[in-house]
Amino acid sequence: GPTRKMPLTASAMDFFQLFVPDNVLKNMVVQTNMYAKKYQERFGSDDAWIDVTLTEMKAFLGYMISTSIHHCESVLSIWSSGFYSNKSIALIMTQSRFEKILKYFHIVAFRSSQTTHGLYKIQPFLDSLQNGFDSAFRPSQAQVLHEPLIDEDPVFIATCTERELRKRKKRKFSLWVRQCSSTGFICQIYVHLKEGSGADGLDALKNKPQLHSMVAKSLCQNASGKNYIIFTGPSITSLNLFEEFEKQEIYCCGLLSTRKSDCTGLPPSMLNNPETPQSRGQYRIRMKGNMSLICWYNKGHFRFLTNAYSPVQQGVIIKRKSGEIPCPLAVEAFAAHLSYICKYDDKYSKYFISHKPNKTWQQVFWFAISIAINNAYILYKMSEAYHVTRYSRAQFGERLVKELLGLEDTSPSH
């Protein structure tokens, strides 16, 4: 749970600033103004530009975040006279001023000579965000590695034509997270760029075990020695990776697929389906040290690899129609933790900022801000402040937007 006690009067802004404090926002102000100056030196002066202030930067973020609550195809819809216009917040800043800040917005204005990393324009922000996640929250023992749902707004996808869909650029990165499965709090983010045809590019490693084990190691670099149990999907599950994690006192439970998983070192007899018909709940086990390979039948064969649970401990899967189906405890635990993450995705994935810039670093930035707000709401729900105000996720987002735009008093006396 949370590592610090927030006051009863804590606002949405107070929770958000656990991850995005004023010093980070001030840096955005400095870097944006530096970039604007550099841009104008190169391409000619812009008489309409005035250096951005901290108040304006907060309002700029507020406008962007408002698109996560009222999904609109463009943030500029706020100033339109159409369905998505928002007169209550449109008066804080003019559309032309907002577009100027959007044009020059930067987190790192200059590339240093040593920089080779593709995310150099956003890395300081991601590092600061990670420090905020680490210091504000202590995760439970059970955690999940996965790619969260950050796809397009389903309403827009359902209504746009095939031509419009083709025109939309595909993301040039994949985003993975390590997530506390009992609260949904995202403990760590890992961004992997699809850097073309290079040996380490995502396209070159697509569906290959080396990419997914690299992602898993990066996400668990701060987890060693803490006896965490990590749940993984088929693309990450592998005997070599789990054995490596066990040396670091990280224990695993993963779903195994003969098509997607790296099955090196596993007995072939367990990877083939038996010819004799099986009844639901039947399972076979093979062990090597602490590692168990479980083949469980329930309208199909499901295989699990684990060193976190004893294979002889019994569990049960409860289905509404067929009642209880016996299974090893590892299978029950895996199903429970993954169903929680599905609920998290259903609840929170629709609150991602719907602004879709062309630049990859900006796309990553807005996804990271969305995750920070979801994490802030999870901390708010676990605090005493929630028992005073009881905001839903949408209400929490609206309060944050108003506080960023200066429409709400956020002082402790409020």
Side-chain angles (χ1 to χ4, degrees), residues 37-57:
K37 187 181 175 188
K38 180 179 83 165
Y39 185 93
Q40 288 171 50
E41 282 171 2
R42 191 172 172 189
F43 298 107
S45 64
D46 182 347
D47 297 333
W49 173 254
I50 308 161
D51 276 2
V52 70
T53 63
L54 179 62
T55 305
E56 284 183 313
M57 185 57 74

Side-chain angles (χ1 to χ4, degrees), residues 203-317:
D203 293 335
L205 299 174
K206 196 81 174 170
N207 294 328
K208 289 189 180 173
Q210 67 258 43
L211 166 67
H212 298 120
S213 70
M214 184 185 78
V215 167
K217 287 171 193 170
S218 300
L219 284 172
C220 294
Q221 58 193 11
N222 302 330
S224 59
K226 296 180 181 174
N227 284 320
Y228 287 153
I229 297 175
I230 305 290
F231 292 89
T232 62
S235 60
I236 292 178
T237 303
S238 84
L239 180 63
N240 292 338
L241 180 69
F242 283 14
E243 286 178 337
E244 203 172 316
F245 275 167
E246 191 174 348
K247 290 171 190 166
Q248 301 170 35
E249 294 176 47
I250 302 170
Y251 300 94
C252 304
C253 180
L255 183 62
L256 197 69
S257 155
T258 49
R259 195 167 50 87
K260 291 183 181 175
S261 307
D262 175 9
C263 297
T264 311
L266 298 174
S269 61
M270 290 292 284
L271 303 176
N272 300 324
N273 295 338
E275 292 175 11
T276 53
Q278 305 271 295
S279 56
R280 292 179 78 175
Q282 270 192 311
Y283 57 89
R284 299 177 294 144
I285 296 164
R286 287 286 294 274
M287 291 185 71
K288 177 190 172 186
N290 292 331
M291 200 73 66
S292 311
L293 175 56
I294 300 164
C295 180
W296 177 68
Y297 183 80
N298 178 25
K299 290 188 176 176
H301 292 275
F302 295 89
R303 292 170 181 83
F304 297 86
L305 190 64
T306 182
N307 55 4
Y309 297 92
S310 161
V312 295
Q313 278 188 285
Q314 289 295 310
V316 69
I317 299 274

Side-chain angles (χ1 to χ4, degrees), residues 22 32 73 78 83 90 112 132 139 165 179 190 207 244 260 270 288 290 297 313 324 332 357 376 379 381 384 392 405:
D22 267 353
T32 299
E73 187 43 20
I78 290 166
F83 180 75
S112 71
L165 270 178
Q179 190 168 10
Y190 177 77
N207 294 328
E244 203 172 316
K260 291 183 181 175
M270 290 292 284
K288 177 190 172 186
N290 292 331
Y297 183 80
Q313 278 188 285
E324 296 184 353
E332 182 188 341
L379 290 189
K381 279 197 81 173
E384 291 177 5
S392 67
L405 289 166

Side-chain angles (χ1 to χ4, degrees), residues 381-392:
K381 279 197 81 173
M382 297 171 81
S383 73
E384 291 177 5
Y386 177 69
H387 300 291
V388 177
T389 48
R390 289 193 173 271
Y391 294 133
S392 67

Side-chain angles (χ1 to χ4, degrees), residues 117-175:
H117 195 267
L119 287 172
Y120 78 94
K121 284 194 172 185
I122 193 181
Q123 199 59 53
F125 174 75
L126 293 177
D127 293 341
S128 161
L129 200 61
Q130 189 58 56
N131 290 335
F133 291 170
D134 291 342
S135 61
F137 185 81
R138 198 168 47 249
S140 64
Q141 185 185 27
Q143 292 163 43
V144 178
L145 304 186
H146 71 121
E147 288 184 273
L149 271 178
I150 52 172
D151 289 318
E152 306 281 4
D153 178 29
V155 175
F156 170 73
I157 288 295
T159 55
C160 72
T161 63
E162 273 187 43
R163 186 161 169 268
E164 284 174 318
L165 270 178
R166 278 199 304 273
K167 272 169 64 182
R168 294 182 78 78
K169 290 189 175 179
K170 285 188 175 179
R171 284 204 312 272
K172 293 180 181 175
F173 64 94
S174 63
L175 183 78

Side-chain angles (χ1 to χ4, degrees), residues 144 181-182 231 309 316-317 329-343:
V144 178
S181 61
S182 60
F231 292 89
Y309 297 92
V316 69
I317 299 274
L329 185 62
V331 178
E332 182 188 341
F334 185 90
H337 292 296
L338 245 63
S339 71
Y340 194 98
I341 295 305
C342 289
K343 283 178 192 166

